[in-house]
Structure formats: C-alpha cells, structure tokens
Amino acid sequence: MQKTNTNYSMETESNENSSGNSSLQSENRMKRFLIALNCLLLALGDTGGPLTSRLYFHHGGRRNWLSSFLETAGFPILLLPLCLNYLQRRRQSRSTPIFLITPRLFLACIGLGLLTGVDDFLYAYGLSFLPVSTAAILLSTHLSFTAFFAFLIVKQRFTFFNINSIALLTTGAALLGLHGSSDRPEGVTDRQYYMGFFLMVATAALYGLVLPLIELTYRKSRREVTYTLVMEMQLVMAASATVFCVVGMAIDKDFQAIPKEAKNFGLGEARYYVVLTWCAIFWQLFFLGTVGVIFCVNTLLAAIIVAVFIPVIEILAVIFLHERISSEKGVALALALWGLASYLYGEHKQAAKEKPPSIDQP
C-alpha cells in the first residue's frame, strides 16, 4: 500500500512538472510573438510614417496643422488592445478597475501630450521644406539632446560614448546645413530650406526633452509600470496632442481648405484621402510598436531598430519620391550611423555594468 502511494505521488509530481513546463513554454512563445509583432509594427511605422507625410507635401499638400494632426490621430487604435486587456483582467477579478492610470499620471500625460503636439507641428512644418532622407538624418540628433536632458532631469551620467555620439551627430547635421542647397525639393527656396533645417533640429531637441520627462513620469508614478499602464499613458498623450492640433487646424481654417486641396492633389482626390488615412495608421503603428518594444525588451532595441531603418528610409525615398542622395548626404548618413552605433554601444555597456552578477548554483 505504501509503495502504491509513493508511485501515485511521483506520478502527480511528474504531471505537475509537465504542466508547469508546458505553461512556461507557452508564455515564452507568446513573448517571442509579441516581440516580433512589435518590432514589425515599429519598422512599418518608422518607414511608412515619414514617407507618407512627405508624400502629402510632395504632391501639393500645404496644410501643416493637418499633417501634424495625422501623426497622433490614429490613437483610437489603442482602444482595441486596451479593451481586450480589460476583458482578460475582468475574467481574473471582477473588481478590476477599467483604467489603471491615476489622476496624477493623467494630468502629467496631458502635459506631455501638449509637448508632443508642439513637436508634431514642428516636424510637419520642417518636413514641408525638406527631403525625407535629410529629415531622417537630422532627427537622429535627438539622441544628443536626449543624453543632455537626461543628464539634467534624471541625472544620467555622460560617458565617452555619449560625447562621441553627440560630436558625430552634430558634425553630420552641420555638414547637411553647409551643403544642403543641392538637395532641396523643387519649389523650395534657400530660406525655406534652412527654416526646415532648423525646425527639424528643434523637433529633435523637443523630442529629446520629452523622452526623459516620460522616464521621470514613470519614476514618480508610485505604482508598478505595466504594459497596460504604458498604453493608457500613450493613449492620453496622443489624444492630448491630437486635440492641440485640432485647435490649430480650426484657427488656420484647415477644415474648410481640405476639400479644395483634395481636388488639386497631384495623385487625385480619392488618393488624397487614402494618403491621409495611411499616414495616420503608419504613425500610430510607430508609437504602438515603440511602446511594445520598450516594454517587451528595452529602449535599446527600439533605438537600434530606428537606427537600422534610416538607410531604408533613404532608399525608399529615392525609389518612391525620386530624391537625390548627394555625396554630402552620404557622408552625413555615415556619421549619423556611426554616432548611433557609439551611443547604443555605450548604453549596452552601461546596462551590462548595472546588471547584478549571476550566482552560480552548487
């Protein structure tokens, strides 16, 4: 009888271990799927967003507030995963709240959203005067501003790799500024080109400020930062930025101008609305993919994906928008990629240094 009980106990333990391993494998498969999905979303948004925005201006679009509005107008897409997540939490606990975001976080996200709205307008205004390939290189300088503002706001220390990255990115941007007249779009004057140049640098600077502020918001949230909470924060920020741009559109009378602009659009009236729709979708894929990659892996991978796709944007701009790649732009691109690689390597070394050493089991 005792032997029978012992066998039954061993079989039960074996079944429990098998069930545990199966559950762990299922979780790992789901995590790998989410990582791959978010990387794909980020890649699509990172290339499709700038290209469709420039496509709008390339074929006769002139409404800067409308273009900035499209960068966050796709935020309702976030409601779908949030609703599915709520239903899942509801099955686990009937008392689960609909929203995890606190009133304090909500107000902070509104402020961050308004800054994002300003950043959207600066980007749209600058892109109306610049080739998308030039804009992509200039935007990479946001890492320099991020390092600077992170030092001031969240006390992140400068390293040799940060300083090297700042020097390389600044040199690349200066090279574009000194030799930029050779690649300006048709119909754009020198004055407009340089205005677009400085607006794009201002966009990078403001974006470099927003990122450390978001990190500071996470630290001050006084609660566990989950993927659901991050998506809720992104929803509030995007909605606030969209409302800001809608006010700008109303003041600039964009709503009255849209039907006329659609009729005169270079690709035709129907394709005008197709371009606007895909522009909003691509930009929201970019933001959703960024949030997902940062949560599932880390910020480093998100930055690597954005850096890797800068040359892809350059190539696609040549194919679809017939932009020229001058020798100066080629050198600036190489310096930008070198600066990004230096920054990312420095972040990797810093993360490895801060990681606690593993303890060998006897």
Side-chain angles (χ1 to χ4, degrees), residues 297-337:
V297 188
N298 51 36
T299 308
L300 184 63
L301 179 59
I304 289 173
I305 293 173
V306 171
V308 164
F309 277 90
I310 289 179
V312 177
I313 294 173
E314 307 281 320
I315 295 169
L316 292 176
V318 171
I319 296 172
F320 294 108
L321 299 175
H322 310 293
E323 293 185 0
R324 292 176 297 172
I325 300 296
S326 62
S327 58
E328 293 87 358
K329 190 181 293 186
V331 174
L333 174 61
L335 290 172
L337 293 175

Side-chain angles (χ1 to χ4, degrees), residues 122-142:
L122 293 175
Y123 176 81
Y125 201 4
L127 191 63
S128 66
F129 300 133
L130 293 177
V132 69
S133 51
T134 302
I137 296 173
L138 291 174
L139 273 182
S140 67
T141 61
H142 85 268

Side-chain angles (χ1 to χ4, degrees), residues 84-94 96:
L84 293 175
N85 179 270
Y86 170 71
L87 292 175
Q88 183 181 8
R89 288 187 288 117
R90 184 74 173 174
R91 284 196 296 268
Q92 295 173 353
S93 174
R94 305 294 293 180
T96 187

Side-chain angles (χ1 to χ4, degrees), residues 16-318:
E16 288 178 353
N17 290 337
S18 177
S19 176
N21 290 336
S22 177
S23 176
L24 183 61
Q25 289 175 357
S26 178
E27 288 180 6
N28 288 336
R29 282 196 297 269
M30 178 56 69
K31 184 175 181 181
R32 285 195 294 269
F33 170 75
L34 287 175
I35 291 172
L37 176 62
N38 283 292
C39 287
L40 177 62
L41 295 179
L42 176 55
L44 289 173
D46 186 44
T47 52
L51 287 170
T52 50
S53 290
R54 181 58 205 167
L55 185 67
Y56 164 75
F57 292 113
H58 186 74
H59 289 284
R62 293 290 180 268
R63 316 308 298 185
N64 294 317
W65 279 111
L66 172 61
S67 181
S68 59
F69 162 81
L70 294 173
E71 292 176 40
T72 51
F75 73 88
I77 294 175
L78 292 172
L79 292 173
L80 178 60
L82 283 173
C83 288
L84 293 175
N85 179 270
Y86 170 71
L87 292 175
Q88 183 181 8
R89 288 187 288 117
R90 184 74 173 174
R91 284 196 296 268
Q92 295 173 353
S93 174
R94 305 294 293 180
S95 60
T96 187
I98 298 177
F99 298 108
L100 301 180
I101 193 168
T102 62
R104 183 178 178 180
L105 267 179
F106 182 80
L107 293 175
C109 288
I110 289 177
L112 290 170
L114 294 176
L115 286 177
T116 302
V118 175
D119 203 44
D120 290 344
F121 178 73
L122 293 175
Y123 176 81
Y125 201 4
L127 191 63
S128 66
F129 300 133
L130 293 177
V132 69
S133 51
T134 302
I137 296 173
L138 291 174
L139 273 182
S140 67
T141 61
H142 85 268
L143 289 177
S144 302
F145 294 106
T146 299
F148 174 72
F149 287 120
F151 171 75
L152 295 179
I153 296 172
V154 293
K155 309 304 179 186
Q156 179 176 308
R157 289 181 298 174
F158 276 111
T159 65
F160 165 77
F161 299 101
N162 293 146
I163 297 171
N164 186 50
S165 172
I166 290 171
L168 291 167
L169 291 168
T170 303
T171 303
L175 183 64
L176 282 178
L178 292 173
H179 301 277
S181 59
S182 61
D183 75 333
R184 68 176 185 269
E186 185 179 348
V188 174
T189 65
D190 283 344
R191 180 177 177 276
Q192 289 174 327
Y193 180 92
Y194 287 111
M195 181 187 295
F197 180 93
F198 288 112
L199 285 170
M200 202 56 67
V201 173
T203 301
L206 186 54
Y207 187 58
L209 171 63
V210 169
L211 290 179
L213 287 177
I214 291 176
E215 183 178 346
L216 182 65
T217 303
Y218 288 160
R219 292 186 182 184
K220 300 290 185 180
S221 62
R222 297 179 181 176
R223 65 180 307 160
E224 182 184 3
V225 179
T226 62
Y227 186 39
T228 303
L229 181 60
V230 169
M231 280 199 297
E232 289 181 4
M233 291 174 64
Q234 175 60 35
L235 178 68
V236 175
M237 287 189 289
S240 303
T242 303
V243 170
F244 175 82
C245 293
V246 166
V247 173
M249 289 176 66
I251 294 173
D252 208 32
K253 299 182 179 180
D254 281 10
F255 295 105
Q256 295 91 324
I258 287 174
K260 182 179 179 181
E261 186 175 75
K263 291 179 181 178
N264 298 324
F265 193 61
L267 296 176
E269 185 174 0
R271 290 182 180 178
Y272 173 84
Y273 294 105
V274 172
V275 169
L276 297 189
T277 301
W278 276 107
C279 186
I281 292 172
F282 276 128
W283 278 117
Q284 200 53 51
L285 292 180
F286 171 77
F287 289 117
L288 186 58
T290 302
V291 169
V293 170
I294 290 173
F295 181 81
C296 293
V297 188
N298 51 36
T299 308
L300 184 63
L301 179 59
I304 289 173
I305 293 173
V306 171
V308 164
F309 277 90
I310 289 179
V312 177
I313 294 173
E314 307 281 320
I315 295 169
L316 292 176
V318 171

